Amino acid sequence: MNDLNIDKVEIIDCTDLVGPGDDGHLVAVHAAGQVGWYGPVSVAAATALDGSLAASAIGTDVTDHSGLLSALHGASAKPGDAVTSWAIGALDCAVWDVRARIEQRPVATLLSTTARSHVPAYASWLTLDVQLADAETIRRVAGQDWQFTKWSLRRSRGLPVADDAKRMAGVVHQVAEATGSPAAFDALWTWDPTLALGFSEQVDHTKMIWLEEPLASYDGTGYSDIATACPYLALALGERLRLGDDPKELLLPNLGALTIDVVGCGGLTVAAGLVAEAAVASVPVYPHGRSLLPAVHLAAAFPEAIAAVEYQLQWEPHRQLLFADPLECEGGQVVVPSAPGLGPTPRRR
């Protein structure tokens, strides 16, 4: 067997290290006397991996990332399923980690010879009801030197569309007044094109960076309708791209950001290709914060294409409990780990 072939794939249960409801499983890949890691992943993703997917990776050369994806895709009963895409993406990231550990280099330097040492970050706090929050809370979050902030703009089902559009335009104004700068907003898949049009007619677009994921599904026609009817409304799309999806229908003329999830889209191998496609379309990439660690390496490798990564204020500190040496974030910048691999060492090995 090739010395660089994968010997074993394990799923490590670390749920006792995190809080109730938090993801707490790690993927471990063994090759050439080293162990590569990725985590945390959900119980569902861990379950999807612990079987034919993990078995299909055995014997694959850790430097053959495309070959690994082909093997995993062929072994999957549900290749387009969101959980399966996450499982495959996690395994892909763990393989990048073990390869970099074998070569004694950070993953970012495998992706690029000119990787930067710090990556800009923007902060999101999607569990905060901005309408009920006081201005001081909003100012405190925004005053931590982030590139910008992002807030929830969830639809209120109890209001008529016109009233809800007016309410949410007011929320945008409230945040801009409190922070003194434009902010991004996440609709959390709760809108429809009619609400988007009403909102666009009410809101001051200069106070917004983008509106993220308004529609309940990736409906190319729906987003094209919004782009046509609301030419000044910058959209951010891509968080729910899965392995095998074509992003071209999302690369609209007024797309403000491609917000891929590095693990959810199929892993670093797939994400690097999506970044290249976005660069050709002149669309900046802002990777989703759920997969912060690989996103940081990706952003370090492609600084001209990736403007900033998302730091999820309400969830990321919980994820970092799994690591002995958590990611450092200083003045709105994430320090790119310089250790071999993806960086942080799991507390349970």
Side-chain angles (χ1 to χ4, degrees), residues 59-340:
T60 302
D61 189 316
V62 296
T63 66
D64 184 9
H65 301 286
S66 296
L68 173 66
L69 281 182
S70 295
L72 295 174
H73 202 270
S76 171
K78 299 178 179 179
D81 175 70
V83 171
T84 302
S85 189
W86 244 92
I88 291 174
L91 184 51
D92 174 84
C93 288
V95 171
W96 276 99
D97 186 42
V98 75
R99 175 188 170 185
R101 289 174 186 267
I102 292 168
E103 298 187 22
Q104 287 295 290
R105 300 164 59 187
V107 166
T109 66
L110 293 178
L111 296 167
S112 169
T113 57
T114 57
R116 54 185 167 175
S117 62
H118 291 70
V119 170
Y122 75 90
S124 65
W125 192 356
L126 300 182
T127 56
L128 180 70
D129 188 332
V130 179
Q131 197 167 17
L132 298 178
D134 62 276
E136 180 55 37
T137 299
I138 299 171
R139 276 195 294 269
R140 186 172 65 251
V141 172
Q144 297 173 9
D145 295 325
W146 304 105
Q147 287 284 301
F148 55 88
T149 55
K150 184 175 78 175
W151 310 87
S152 171
L153 209 57
R154 184 187 294 273
R155 179 177 188 172
S156 174
R157 297 292 178 181
L159 288 177
V161 169
D163 293 342
D164 208 18
K166 183 178 180 179
R167 175 188 68 85
M168 290 190 288
V171 169
V172 171
H173 180 80
Q174 175 188 353
V175 170
E177 287 293 302
T179 63
S181 59
F185 294 88
D186 195 330
L188 299 165
W189 318 306
T190 61
W191 293 27
D192 57 33
T194 302
L195 179 56
L197 177 58
F199 172 81
S200 185
E201 291 172 343
Q202 297 259 7
V203 75
D204 182 346
H205 292 278
T206 65
K207 300 185 185 303
M208 288 188 68
I209 297 172
W210 72 59
L211 176 69
E212 187 170 354
E213 304 286 357
L215 301 185
S217 63
Y218 276 145
D219 176 359
T221 301
Y223 281 122
S224 293
D225 290 346
I226 292 175
T228 301
C230 313
Y232 301 110
L233 183 62
L235 296 172
L237 307 172
E239 177 185 332
R240 291 175 293 172
L241 281 173
R242 303 170 183 171
L243 182 64
D245 285 349
D246 185 348
K248 288 185 175 57
E249 68 175 12
L250 300 183
L251 298 176
L252 303 166
N254 62 337
L255 190 65
L258 185 68
T259 53
I260 58 172
D261 188 297
V262 175
V263 176
C265 73
L268 269 167
T269 306
V270 174
L274 293 173
V275 168
E277 288 192 58
V280 170
S282 299
V283 174
V285 179
Y286 292 82
H288 182 231
R290 187 178 176 189
S291 305
L292 179 62
L293 186 55
V296 165
H297 283 270
L298 191 69
F302 302 107
E304 294 183 358
I306 301 178
V309 296
E310 178 186 16
Y311 189 93
Q312 297 180 329
L313 291 170
Q314 73 273 40
W315 293 308
E316 192 56 39
H318 297 187
R319 299 184 188 116
Q320 293 300 314
L321 293 174
L322 290 167
F323 303 105
D325 46 353
L327 278 178
E328 298 177 49
C329 193
E330 305 169 345
Q333 302 267 330
V334 180
V335 179
V336 182
S338 58

